[in-house]
Structure formats: C-alpha cells, structure tokens
Amino acid sequence: MEKSQKEKSQKELKELPGISVYKNRFLYALFPCGLFCFIYLFFGPLSLIHTNSSVLKITIFSATPYYLLAFAAGTLLSSALLAILRGSLFCGAATMVLWLSLGSYIQRNMLNPDFGLLIGTAIPWEEYTGRTLLNLAFWGALLLLLFLLKNALKAKWEKVLRIVSVIVVLMQTTALVTFYFASDGTEDEVDYALSTDGVALVSENENIIVFILDATSNNALNKTLAVYPDALSLLNDFTYYNNCAPTFYGTYPEMISIFTGNGSYDTNASYLDFERVSWSSSPAAEFYALLKSRAYVTSFYTDPRVLSQTLSNIEGKIDNTTAPEAFLGIQPLKMYEKLGVLTCYEYFPLGLKASFYKSTGEFDDLIANSDGSTIWSLDGEALSSKLFETGLSASESNQMKVYHFEGAHSPYILSDTGLPSEDSTSLEEQVMGCFVIIGEYISQLKEIGAYDSSTIIITADHGDYTYNGSHDSNSAILFVKLRNETHEELQVSEAPVTHLELLPTIAADAGLDGDYDFGAVLADFSEGEPRERILHKWENTLGGPNQYDAFYVFRYSSHIRELNDLTEPDEILPLYDCFY
C-alpha cells in the first residue's frame, strides 16, 4: 500500500512539469495569437461592415457576437496548437505570429496606397512594381528586427511580446468603440432594396425599356466593335446618338438626373437634399404619376443607393422595392467568406493584394428577399439566366423596366455569351455580353409581339472611368428606338444631346406629355447645331482617401469627343458632402 502510494506520487511529479510547461507556453501564445485573431477575425471584418453597411445589409451590432465568437475560438485554438512546439522553435513561431500581426497592422494603417472605392474599378497592379518591392523590403526588415530583439532580450522578450500585443489590441479597440458610437444600427443604411421580382416580365401592350451600361462610352463601344463587328446587328431600328453627354460624370448622381430630369446640383447642400429635391420635383412627380394613371408597373434593377438612400423619395414611383422586414437575411457562410477575403486584401502585403480584391458589388447576390428573389446584381445574371432558360413572359399591365449592367465598368466577369464567367474576361467581352443579352431580349419581344409597341433605350450612365484621354471617353452611348420606329439599318446622329432629354422623349413617345411640358426631346436638336453643354466631374482635390470633395465643371459647345482637349475646368465647386 505504501509502495503504491509512493509510485503514484512519483508519477504525478513526473507528469506535472510537462503540463505546467505546456500551460506556460499556452498562456504565452495567447498574446500574439490573440493579436493576430483580433485583427483578422474581429476588428478587420467589423471595420469593413461598419464602412459598407449599406451594401452588406448588416450592421456592426448584429455582426459583433459572431465575430466575437470567431475571435475567441480562433485565439484558443491557435494558442493550443502553437503551444505544442517546444524550446526555441516555440519562441521563434510566437515571434513569427507577432511579425504577421504587426506587419498587417502597419500595412493597413500606414502603407496601403489609396486604391479608391472597391466598386470594381480595375487596379493597374503593374504600375506598383517598385512600391511592391519596397513593401516587401519593409516586411523583411520588420522580421529581421523582431528576431534581433528576441535574441538580444532573451528572457525579457516574452514580456515585450505581451506588452506590444496588448498595446495594438487596445489601439484597435479604441477605434472599434468609435465605430459603435458612430452608428445607431441603421445609420448609412439604405432602408429598402430593389428585388429581381418580375425581371423578365414585359407587357403585351406598352413597354418602356431602358438598358444602362455602366461606364460605356463611344470609345468603349468602338473597342468592342473592333473585336465583335456584329455587336449591333439587331439594332437596325435604332438611332445611334454618338454625341450624347452625361450631366454628371458618375453613376451617382447621373442615374437620378436621368430618371428625374434634374440637372442641377446644389453643392452647398447635402447629397440627401439632392435626392429629395430631384424625386419630388414637378417633372419627376408628374412623370411617375402619369405612368401610374396609364397602369404602368415601374421596375428598376440597379443598386438602390444610386437612386435614393431612403424609400420615402421613390415610394409610389418604383414598384419593385423591398422593405427591410422582408429580408430573409444574408447567406452567412458566403458573406463571412467574402469578408474574410476582403480583410486579407486590406491587411496583406502589397504583392498579395491582387489575389484578394473583391468589389462591393459581389456581395449583392448574397442577400435574399422574402419572395425568394435576390437583390439585383449589375452583372445582369438574373436577367440573362431567365432569358436563356425560360424566356420573357408577358402580362397585360404596361411595363417600364430599367436594367443597369456593369457594361464597360470592371471587374469584367461577363462573357461574350451574355452569361457570367468563372474567370475574368475583357472589356470587349463584357460589353459584347451586354449586347447579347439586349439582342436576346429584343428577339423575344418580337416573338411575343410586343417589340413594335415598345420604346427601347440603350445608354450609359457616364463614360470611361479611366480618364485615359482617348477621344469619346467622356461620352455616353445612346441608342433609341421609339414606338413603331423602323429602319433598314441603324441610323446615326451627331446631334448635341444630353441625358436630360431622355425623360421628356419617353414621356412624349408614350403620350404622357399632353398635360405637362417635360422639356426638350431628342428630336429638337440637329446635327451641327451649336449648344453649350455642361459636364460635372467628381474630383478629389484634397487627396484624402475615398472622398470626392469637389465638382470640376466643364462648359463646351463642340462635339463631346473634343472635351478631352479641355484640361482646365471652367469652375471648381467645393461640395458640402458627397455620396462617396
């Protein structure tokens, strides 16, 4: 009995040091692992949610519990795995984790170039080769510094590692607290969505159909025609206005300008005031009221943010709106996966960022409505899949449809078949894909017998984003077929027109202008006619990240292709605030 007790005590004493050492390593590992997980599994994703809540349809408050759980689980698991290592191997691995964490923190806050908004605009990574090498040198120097300190401080290194980890976590926690105070859970969120309900439904009687090909200028069209000369083969009944000018060089506020007829922007007032004034203006109020009186169902398939931040502005005008309570919510796993990739894009070295770039538009198809439909995604997949799988369907109700595609706007993910591609495509393929969808739409309208009675407009919200100086890069393509209009071949007009003539032209063609004068129509302008037009371009004069602060105003009377010769604006108008 006495011998057995002695053997038991000796066994416990033999096992205890091993457990104790592992425990000490685990507690040591908690600090660098906790810092790493705090950055990538908690602060990083939550900061993205805070700044993009209107896109993601979730708030920092609702997401916090999930990311808190991920942070805790990740810290415990990674610390437990790291503690398996022994001796110098363990200390070296802990230092490596600190290196990755500190490097990520410095990269995100000090070393990232201003790539602008993540709206899909292509980033010329090849232009950052020199900066990428310098960035790589920084990461290498940081690693060398940490290991030199580890070897110099020896036993004190554990204390330094803990202090550094705690300081960085506290700094990020302070920033996170400001996010919570800055948001009440609804701030900066659009309070409605536009569903894909009825995306392939047209009328047997009267249709007004508008296709918006984002960022597609005459320049982009010419590039496409050089590769696909038959891209416009189904547009023989249309008139191509190759001298069409947007009023504002940007999806916002040009989309509002097109569909309300408002070409004036008070730069001393908020963009929210511009939305309210535009949608409540007499032309907009009259136009949509007359559509209702003629039994039109009006559906917009676009990003709701470019129309209005609040439902109250468009309520009663646009019919495919979806209230927040109708959301089924996000697809959590896919949403968190995309947010994880985007977090890596924010924190990884410059040389790795290209592999983790994601456009905010990629999150749109992760949100569902109570009727099972999804939020509109600008790649047009909801429409193209319907067209090619089941085709258009017809109803007795008159229809006004506005379809917004990516057009010449990157990322290029549409193939020349009109369907999204798993691999990136080219500008020419994507624009061709848009015209394939439009061509199929026109063909099916003809089969239904609704083509002749349809007004069809194909245009762009603005020209090229590249500002590459090419002629016609400022223009917006414009093809128009009015009701019962027929031609043997596509007509071309160089009349100096703008998007402000679209609403009056639609109203006149639909017979809505009997009791209200909406203004000049496209046919009121002739080729060669002198006409002063004005273009407003967003500019970032202060150099701050992701924030336009002024309009550069250009006045010109020539063909819009000559606008590239104007290098100095006629006027610079500081903005009170900006949509971006």
Side-chain angles (χ1 to χ4, degrees):
M1 185 73 174
E2 183 179 345
K3 184 178 179 181
S4 176
Q5 185 66 36
K6 184 177 180 180
E7 290 176 349
K8 182 178 179 181
S9 298
Q10 288 176 343
K11 183 179 180 181
E12 288 176 350
L13 287 172
K14 186 177 181 180
E15 292 179 348
L16 185 58
I19 297 174
S20 178
V21 170
Y22 178 84
K23 178 182 176 182
N24 288 337
R25 289 200 301 266
F26 175 78
L27 294 175
Y28 182 1
L30 281 175
F31 287 86
C33 291
L35 173 59
F36 183 85
C37 292
F38 190 86
I39 290 173
Y40 282 94
L41 299 180
F42 192 68
F43 179 83
L46 287 179
S47 64
L48 287 171
I49 290 171
H50 172 68
T51 54
N52 297 283
S53 59
S54 61
V55 176
L56 304 177
K57 304 298 179 190
I58 53 177
T59 69
I60 190 173
F61 293 100
S62 61
T64 294
Y66 301 102
Y67 282 107
L68 188 61
L69 180 62
F71 160 60
T75 300
L76 293 174
L77 179 60
S78 58
S79 299
L81 292 174
L82 187 62
I84 294 173
L85 302 176
R86 298 180 179 182
S88 60
L89 191 60
F90 167 77
C91 193
T95 303
M96 290 286 289
V97 175
L98 178 66
W99 167 64
L100 291 172
S101 304
L102 273 182
S104 298
Y105 176 80
I106 296 171
Q107 180 73 47
R108 171 63 182 83
N109 292 281
M110 302 176 190
L111 302 180
N112 279 345
D114 179 14
F115 291 126
L117 298 167
L118 299 180
I119 56 175
T121 306
I123 297 175
W125 299 105
E126 65 279 0
E127 296 179 8
Y128 291 90
T129 303
R131 192 162 180 172
T132 298
L133 292 175
L134 288 174
N135 190 241
L136 181 63
F138 156 76
W139 280 82
L142 179 62
L143 179 62
L144 178 62
L145 175 63
L146 291 178
F147 270 93
L148 287 174
L149 288 173
K150 179 183 79 70
N151 293 332
L153 295 174
K154 299 186 185 319
K156 295 181 180 179
W157 178 240
E158 177 182 348
K159 185 176 181 180
V160 172
L161 186 147
R162 289 180 175 180
I163 291 173
V164 172
S165 298
V166 169
I167 288 174
V168 176
V169 167
L170 287 176
M171 290 172 68
Q172 291 196 312
T173 301
T174 301
L176 197 59
V177 169
T178 64
F179 295 163
Y180 290 108
F181 277 108
S183 175
D184 61 1
T186 58
E187 188 178 51
D188 295 332
E189 283 196 324
V190 181
D191 61 359
Y192 70 99
L194 297 170
S195 80
T196 55
D197 187 33
V199 67
L201 181 68
V202 295
S203 172
E204 299 172 343
N205 303 311
E206 299 179 14
N207 293 290
I208 300 168
I209 302 163
V210 184
F211 294 97
I212 305 287
L213 274 55
D214 206 304
T216 308
S217 64
N218 293 333
N219 180 47
L221 177 63
N222 292 335
K223 288 181 179 180
T224 303
L225 290 173
V227 180
Y228 302 98
D230 296 328
L232 310 180
S233 60
L234 291 176
L235 304 186
N236 57 290
D237 294 327
F238 286 72
T239 298
Y240 172 31
Y241 292 88
N242 68 6
N243 190 10
C244 174
T247 305
F248 301 97
Y249 207 85
T251 306
Y252 186 100
E254 188 65 7
M255 284 286 285
I256 296 176
S257 180
I258 293 172
F259 294 105
T260 66
N262 183 17
S264 301
Y265 192 111
D266 184 358
T267 56
N268 294 313
S270 168
Y271 70 89
L272 298 175
D273 292 322
F274 171 76
E275 294 176 349
R276 178 182 52 78
V277 168
S278 298
W279 287 104
S280 62
S281 66
S282 294
E286 289 288 338
F287 179 79
Y288 292 98
L290 288 168
L291 284 179
K292 294 299 179 189
S293 71
R294 291 278 296 275
Y296 270 87
V297 175
T298 303
S299 303
F300 277 66
Y301 302 101
T302 183
D303 184 334
R305 296 170 301 163
V306 301
L307 297 178
S308 173
Q309 308 306 297
T310 59
L311 177 61
S312 58
N313 288 328
I314 64 170
E315 199 165 19
K317 298 180 176 71
I318 297 175
D319 296 310
N320 63 321
T321 58
T322 302
E325 56 267 21
F327 290 163
L328 288 177
I330 61 172
Q331 299 176 36
L333 293 180
K334 290 185 178 180
M335 176 70 76
Y336 294 141
E337 175 192 349
K338 288 182 181 289
L339 281 171
V341 172
L342 201 54
T343 299
C344 293
Y345 168 83
E346 290 279 299
Y347 287 94
F348 274 19
L350 191 55
L352 299 177
K353 289 188 184 297
S355 301
F356 295 89
Y357 177 89
K358 283 196 176 297
S359 163
T360 51
E362 295 183 45
F363 291 86
D364 290 344
D365 58 359
L366 300 182
I367 305 168
N369 303 315
S370 58
D371 61 0
S373 63
T374 57
I375 305 303
W376 178 253
S377 181
L378 297 190
D379 59 23
E381 182 177 6
L383 176 59
S384 61
S385 60
K386 282 278 188 179
L387 285 176
F388 297 126
E389 292 174 10
T390 59
L392 293 176
S393 56
S395 72
E396 293 182 358
S397 299
N398 296 331
Q399 299 285 332
M400 177 173 174
K401 301 284 189 182
V402 177
Y403 301 100
H404 190 181
F405 296 158
E406 287 283 14
H409 194 306
S410 56
Y412 305 129
I413 59 174
L414 195 64
S415 72
D416 56 11
T417 64
L419 294 171
S421 171
E422 293 183 2
D423 302 317
S424 61
T425 60
S426 65
L427 178 150
E428 293 83 4
E429 287 178 277
Q430 180 150 305
V431 174
M432 181 59 192
C434 291
F435 279 101
V436 167
I437 295 172
I438 294 169
E440 182 66 22
Y441 198 107
I442 289 173
S443 297
Q444 293 189 25
L445 274 178
K446 291 178 178 179
E447 293 175 8
I448 291 173
Y451 174 74
D452 291 337
S453 61
S454 296
T455 300
I456 305 174
I457 295 173
I458 306 165
T459 189
D461 44 6
H462 55 81
D464 297 349
Y465 261 129
T466 55
Y467 302 108
N468 58 8
S470 301
H471 281 315
D472 283 340
S473 64
N474 291 293
S475 60
I477 61 166
L478 177 60
F479 298 85
V480 178
K481 184 202 83 71
L482 302 178
R483 295 173 196 277
N484 301 311
E485 182 178 0
T486 59
H487 305 289
E488 290 297 323
E489 60 183 18
L490 177 69
Q491 305 295 295
V492 179
S493 171
E494 292 198 354
V497 299
T498 74
H499 279 151
L500 295 176
E501 284 83 66
L502 292 187
L503 203 69
T505 298
I506 292 171
D509 192 48
L512 304 177
D513 61 342
D515 300 322
Y516 187 87
D517 182 11
F518 287 96
V521 299
L522 292 170
D524 290 338
F525 300 92
S526 304
E527 294 187 19
E529 176 182 350
R531 181 191 183 188
E532 182 181 85
R533 291 177 289 177
I534 301 176
L535 180 67
H536 301 74
K537 283 190 175 184
W538 296 114
E539 290 293 341
N540 184 342
T541 65
L542 300 178
N546 301 339
Q547 181 63 58
Y548 296 112
D549 61 279
F551 275 142
Y552 277 16
V553 181
F554 295 88
R555 292 182 173 85
Y556 60 102
S557 299
S558 57
H559 196 290
I560 192 171
R561 70 169 65 101
E562 306 303 327
L563 183 58
N564 287 77
D565 297 333
L566 302 177
T567 57
E568 295 296 326
D570 295 283
E571 193 175 3
I572 298 177
L573 299 177
L575 293 167
Y576 175 83
D577 63 8
C578 180
F579 172 71
Y580 292 122

